[in-house]
Every structure is written in structure tokens, then in C-alpha cells.
Amino acid sequence: MDKQKYYVNLASQQISTVRFENNDSYVIYASEEEVRNLRQKLNHMHEGDMNAFFRAHVPIMPYHNDRGNDHYDSGMSEAFQIIYDLGDEKTKEHLTDIGVLDKKGY
């Protein structure tokens, strides 16, 4: 499998082969299948975020029982792990420094 360089920005949930403006928060080298897997995680985060948004407008639903937040959080953790696994040295160093990885993951 050929790996290609991708620029990833989790805030905008953007994955691109072209560096543009602020889309280069993380640099990864991935196959098409690996990028699809990362895209699925980002989509999972987006769905969780949308569910949490709608839940926020229902005052009788307590925040701590919010599956949308749980989906978003688990998606974010999984996305960080994928980015770490595929990332260049700078990306790996940054993710290690900011402490977002599960200690068992690396």
C-alpha cells in the first residue's frame, strides 16, 4: 500500500493532500484505507456533536447522561490515536506533549 502525505485539522475535521491556510495541525502518512478509517472517526465525532447540540436544548435531559458527548469524546480519542499512529515525528511529539493519548495506546 502506498502511503501519501495528508494534512489534518481536527477542529474543522479536514483531511487534505494539499496544505492550505490552517489545515496542517497534524501531518500523517496514510493509505487510502487508513484515511477512510480516520474519516469515519471524524464523522462519528460530528454525529456525536450534533446529538449533543440537540440534547442541550432539552433541559430535562441531564448532561452526564448524554450519549452524544460520549460518542464525540470516544471519537476524538480514537482520532488522536490514529493520527499518532500515522503521524510524522513532529505530530507524534506534539500529541505526546499535550497528553491526549491513552497511556496504553503508545
Side-chain angles (χ1 to χ4, degrees), residues 38 41 44 71 73-83:
L38 179 56
K41 298 301 176 197
H44 183 75
H71 287 283
D73 291 347
S74 68
M76 179 69 86
S77 295
E78 292 168 5
F80 274 131
Q81 188 62 55
I82 292 169
I83 291 169

Side-chain angles (χ1 to χ4, degrees), residues 2 33 43 53 73 95:
D2 290 335
E33 183 177 336
N43 289 344
F53 172 79
D73 291 347
L95 291 176

Side-chain angles (χ1 to χ4, degrees), residues 79-96:
F80 274 131
Q81 188 62 55
I82 292 169
I83 291 169
Y84 178 86
D85 292 342
L86 301 174
D88 64 4
E89 287 305 313
K90 184 178 174 184
T91 294
K92 289 181 181 192
E93 183 178 321
H94 176 71
L95 291 176
T96 300

Side-chain angles (χ1 to χ4, degrees), residues 77 81 99-106:
S77 295
Q81 188 62 55
V100 295
L101 299 171
D102 180 4
K103 300 294 183 214
K104 297 177 277 183
Y106 62 96

Side-chain angles (χ1 to χ4, degrees), residues 15 31-41 43:
I15 305 169
S31 66
E32 287 182 28
E33 183 177 336
E34 291 166 329
V35 169
R36 274 193 301 273
N37 186 32
L38 179 56
R39 171 54 53 207
Q40 283 182 311
K41 298 301 176 197
N43 289 344

